[in-house]
Amino acid sequence: MKPRRILCIWFPNLPIEHLRIAWRQNRANISNPDLQAANKAQKGKKPFALIAQNTAGIHIVAVNDEAREMGVYPSMRLTDAKALCHQLEALFHNPASDRALLNQRAAWLKSFSPIVVPRDANTIFLDITGCDHLFGGEQKMLTQIAAFLKAMGHKARLGLGDNIGAAWAVAHYAPNALTILPPNEARQGLAPLPVEALRLHKEHANALYHLGFKKIGQLFELPRAALYRRFPDVEQGEAVLKRLEQALGQQEEPLTHIEGQPDLRFTAAPVEPLIDQSNIEQHFYQLLDQLFAVLDQAQQGVLHLCLDLFYSDGKVKNLAIRLAQPTRSKAHVKRLLDEKINDIDPGFGIDVLILTANKIGDLAPSQLQLDSHKNTKRQDHNVASLLDRLANRLGQGTVYCLSPVESHLPEKSQKKAHPLKGQKWHDWPLASRRPTTLLATPEPIKVALMQSSDMPLHFIWRKLLHQIIYAQGPERILPEWWDDLTGRRLPRDYYEIEDQAGLRFWVYREHPHKMSPQEDLSWWLHGVYA
C-alpha cells in the first residue's frame, strides 16, 4: 500500500510579506497609514517590525531582514529592540488580516490537491497522495508550488513526508527550503534535526537538553520505557513520546478538512492562462461533459456543484449552485452556470479550472401518470427547474416555503423549509383564522378602549390613526410552560379588527400575572390580513 504523502508549507515571515503585498496592490492609492509606513521602510531599506501588546507589555511579532541584521528578533520586547536599533519603525500587528491571506493561499493551493488545511498562523498542510503524477512527480510539483508562491511575494519553506509530524519537521528545520523525505524513510531525514522539530513545547525541549538529547536521532534507539522514566514529570514524558511516534508514523494523526471532500472532482489546466471568454467556456463545457458522463454511467444525479477559477495572481473565484433536487440534466446545469460565467473577469489570466460535485445521489425511478393530474412527476421537475433558476439569480436561501410547526404561539407556528419538501398546509388543522402577513417582530400600538367593554375603539400605528369599525375577539394564547420556565412571557388576548378604510389587523394585549389598578395593558400589532 502506498503511504500517505503530506506536504507542509511554512511561511516564516508572513506578516511582513503581507504588508509588502498590500503595498504593492495598493501603491496607486496609498491612504492607509500602515501601508504608508511600510512603503517608507521598504523604499529606504530601514529596519521595520510588527508589534503586539499583552499582559507583559509590547513585544515584537515579526521583523524584516534589515531589523534582523541589527539583532532584532520576534518575541523581543519593544523597549529592548529600540535600545538595540534606534531607527526601528514599528506598527501594530493585525493577525486577522494575516489569517485571511493564509486562507486565500490555502484556497489557491486546492489547484494542486483537494485536501488543503491551514493550521496555526503561518502553516498550510496538503495531502498530495496520488496527486503528484499530474505534475510530473513530487519534485516538479513542489518546485512549481515554490515558484508560484515566490511570484506572489512569499519566501516559503516546503517539506514533504509520510505524515504531518515529519513534514512539519523538515519544513521548519531542514537546511534546504525544499526538502523531500523518501517514502518510508523518515528516520534518516529526521535524525540530524534538533529535538524542537518534534513540535515540542519549549519546556519539554529544555528537559530533553538537560538529559543530554539534542538531536532526534538520539531518541530512536533508546527504549520507550527508559525514555519515559527519565522525565521527572509524567506529562512531559507522554508529550515527547507522542510527538516522536507521530513523526515516525507509529501513531496516527489525521489531517481533517473542515469543508469535507467532494464526491467528484475534474480539473482543466491549460498550457497558457485563459484570458478569452470563449476559451473559458470551452474548458468549462469539457469539464461538464466529463462530469455527466460519469453520472450517466452511474445512473446518479448531482445536487451541489462548484466551479473554482484559479487566477494567475493567486486569487480564487468560486461559482456555486445548489439544486432543488438531484438532476442529471446537463442542459439545465449548463444554463445555471452560464449566467455566472458571463460575468467573469479573466484579469491577468486563469491558470486552472476545477469542477466539483459535492453531493451525488441516486435518482429514484419514477412512472409518469397517463392523465393530466396535478401531482405528476413532470410538473414537480418543472417546478424544481424554476426554483433553481430563481435561487441562482436571487441567491441561496432566498427561495423557500413555510412549513407548519406544532406550536400555539404565532411566531413559532411555522418555519422555513425546502420548497419541495415542506409539509403541506392543507393537511394541517387550524383552530382559527390567521393573517396572511405575520410581522417578524410585533410592533407597539396605542389603543383606546370602549368604556363599556374591553374592545378597542381606535389605535395609532406608525403615527397614523385607525378608527375601528369592527372587532372580534378575544382569542387567548398562553405561553408554552416548557419553554418559559422563568415565567417572563405573558398571556395574550388576540383581536381581529377592521378600520374605516377596510384594512384588517391582528392585534393583541398582554396580561401581567399581577397587575395594579393603575397599570395599563400593552398592545401590539402582530399581523395584517390580505
Side-chain angles (χ1 to χ4, degrees):
M1 182 179 178
K2 187 177 180 179
R4 293 175 60 199
R5 302 296 285 167
I6 304 297
L7 172 62
C8 176
I9 303 177
W10 177 43
F11 302 88
N13 214 17
L14 182 65
I16 298 296
E17 293 170 351
H18 188 193
L19 271 182
R20 291 173 180 169
I21 294 172
W23 169 78
R24 185 175 60 190
Q25 294 176 348
N26 298 273
R27 56 185 170 184
N29 182 21
I30 300 179
S31 58
N32 190 329
D34 293 350
L35 294 182
Q36 292 177 356
N39 179 25
K40 183 179 178 181
Q42 174 80 5
K43 288 184 176 180
K45 299 296 182 181
K46 295 182 178 180
F48 180 79
L50 291 175
I51 58 177
Q53 187 173 8
N54 55 19
T55 55
I58 301 177
H59 64 279
I60 304 295
V61 175
V63 297
N64 63 356
D65 296 336
E66 289 74 19
R68 189 175 289 106
E69 292 176 357
M70 297 292 294
V72 182
Y73 57 87
S75 74
M76 175 186 284
R77 292 192 303 175
L78 180 61
T79 53
D80 298 337
K82 284 284 189 178
L84 190 64
C85 179
H86 300 287
Q87 299 179 346
L88 181 67
E89 294 189 9
L91 290 176
F92 275 97
H93 177 225
N94 184 3
S97 62
D98 291 344
R99 187 68 182 180
L101 178 64
L102 189 71
N103 292 334
Q104 183 179 350
R105 296 295 179 257
W108 174 82
L109 286 168
K110 288 183 180 179
S111 60
F112 293 90
S113 170
I115 304 178
V116 181
V117 181
R119 281 193 181 179
D120 302 327
N122 54 6
T123 306
I124 298 177
F125 287 98
L126 289 81
D127 189 342
I128 65 169
T129 307
C131 300
D132 56 287
H133 70 280
L134 301 174
F135 304 91
E138 294 178 346
Q139 182 67 41
K140 291 185 178 180
M141 180 181 183
L142 268 63
T143 303
Q144 185 176 351
I145 293 176
F148 279 135
L149 291 176
K150 184 178 180 181
M152 295 178 189
H154 298 288
K155 291 183 179 179
R157 293 179 58 89
L158 284 71
L160 181 63
D162 293 342
N163 52 72
I164 297 176
W168 190 95
V170 295
H172 286 72
Y173 290 94
N176 299 324
L178 195 157
T179 307
I180 298 178
L181 295 180
N184 301 320
E185 296 184 11
R187 285 177 173 264
Q188 293 82 347
L190 296 177
L193 301 182
V195 293
E196 289 87 353
L198 293 176
R199 297 177 292 165
L200 298 177
H201 195 272
K202 186 176 181 179
E203 62 180 21
H204 299 163
N206 292 336
L208 285 175
Y209 273 103
H210 286 306
L211 294 174
F213 301 109
K214 298 182 179 180
K215 303 293 183 181
I216 297 179
Q218 296 177 272
L219 305 176
F220 290 160
E221 304 302 330
L222 192 66
R224 297 293 182 265
L227 178 62
Y228 184 79
R229 287 195 299 268
R230 288 174 180 251
F231 289 93
D233 189 356
V234 176
E235 294 183 357
Q236 290 183 355
E238 292 178 350
V240 172
L241 289 177
K242 177 183 178 181
R243 290 303 191 186
L244 179 61
E245 291 177 354
Q246 287 177 345
L248 296 177
Q250 298 173 358
Q251 186 174 143
E252 185 67 22
E253 184 178 4
L255 185 63
T256 305
H257 197 326
I258 299 178
E259 299 178 357
Q261 297 306 306
D263 295 330
L264 295 174
R265 187 175 190 263
F266 301 92
T267 304
V271 179
E272 297 292 337
L274 303 177
I275 58 176
D276 185 68
Q277 187 73 25
S278 59
N279 290 333
I280 297 175
E281 293 178 356
Q282 180 182 357
H283 284 80
F284 163 64
Y285 295 152
Q286 292 176 358
L287 295 177
L288 211 58
D289 292 339
Q290 298 176 27
L291 169 64
F292 281 93
V294 175
L295 294 178
D296 291 338
Q297 185 177 3
Q299 295 295 306
Q300 291 181 323
V302 62
L303 195 59
H304 293 175
L305 273 176
C306 183
L307 178 64
D308 297 326
L309 307 175
F310 297 84
Y311 288 77
S312 301
D313 57 356
K315 297 180 180 179
V316 181
K317 186 176 182 62
N318 308 106
L319 306 178
I321 60 172
R322 294 175 180 267
L323 306 175
Q325 62 185 14
T327 183
R328 204 164 63 240
S329 173
K330 182 168 63 175
H332 177 53
V333 174
K334 177 179 175 296
R335 179 177 183 177
L336 295 177
L337 283 173
D338 275 345
E339 297 178 359
K340 297 178 177 290
I341 292 179
N342 292 332
D343 298 332
I344 292 177
D345 180 13
F348 294 102
I350 297 175
D351 291 331
V352 181
L353 292 86
I354 296 181
L355 181 64
T356 57
N358 298 318
K359 281 194 176 182
I360 299 296
D362 295 331
L363 294 178
S366 61
Q367 174 66 48
L368 297 179
Q369 297 183 9
L370 299 179
D371 57 4
S372 59
H373 194 269
K374 63 179 181 179
N375 291 327
T376 60
K377 295 295 183 180
R378 184 179 299 277
Q379 189 180 37
D380 287 345
H381 174 74
N382 295 335
V383 172
S385 301
L386 175 61
L387 295 174
D388 293 338
R389 293 170 59 188
L390 291 174
N392 190 54
R393 294 186 180 185
L394 302 178
Q396 297 298 330
T398 57
V399 181
Y400 58 89
C401 72
L402 295 177
S403 181
V405 178
E406 293 186 2
S407 177
H408 292 291
L409 296 178
E411 61 269 20
K412 290 186 176 182
S413 61
Q414 54 195 359
K415 65 178 180 180
K416 293 181 180 180
H418 192 281
L420 299 179
K421 298 179 181 178
Q423 186 175 357
K424 305 302 180 182
W425 283 94
H426 59 75
D427 298 331
W428 190 257
L430 292 176
S432 57
R433 287 161 48 91
R434 289 292 181 261
T436 54
T437 302
L438 191 70
L439 301 182
T441 303
E443 298 184 7
I445 58 176
K446 295 182 179 180
V447 177
L449 302 179
M450 296 182 180
Q451 296 181 356
S452 58
S453 65
D454 292 337
M455 300 297 288
L457 180 62
H458 60 77
F459 69 95
I460 299 176
W461 176 48
R462 296 180 179 177
K463 299 182 180 181
L464 293 180
L465 177 64
H466 297 265
Q467 190 72 32
I468 300 174
I469 62 173
Y470 170 80
Q472 178 181 350
E475 175 192 353
R476 174 156 294 190
I477 297 180
L478 299 177
E480 298 170 342
W481 62 267
W482 57 89
D483 196 29
D484 186 37
L485 299 180
T486 58
R488 296 180 179 179
R489 296 178 181 174
L490 304 177
R492 303 174 182 176
D493 282 347
Y494 279 87
Y495 294 85
E496 180 183 341
I497 60 177
E498 181 179 343
D499 66 357
Q500 72 281 4
L503 300 177
R504 286 189 169 236
F505 305 93
W506 204 41
V507 300
Y508 71 88
R509 61 178 179 178
E510 293 181 334
H511 283 274
H513 298 291
K514 294 182 181 180
M515 184 178 65
S516 61
Q518 294 80 16
E519 185 177 0
D520 295 332
L521 298 176
S522 58
W523 285 81
W524 306 81
L525 191 145
H526 205 173
V528 179
Y529 291 88

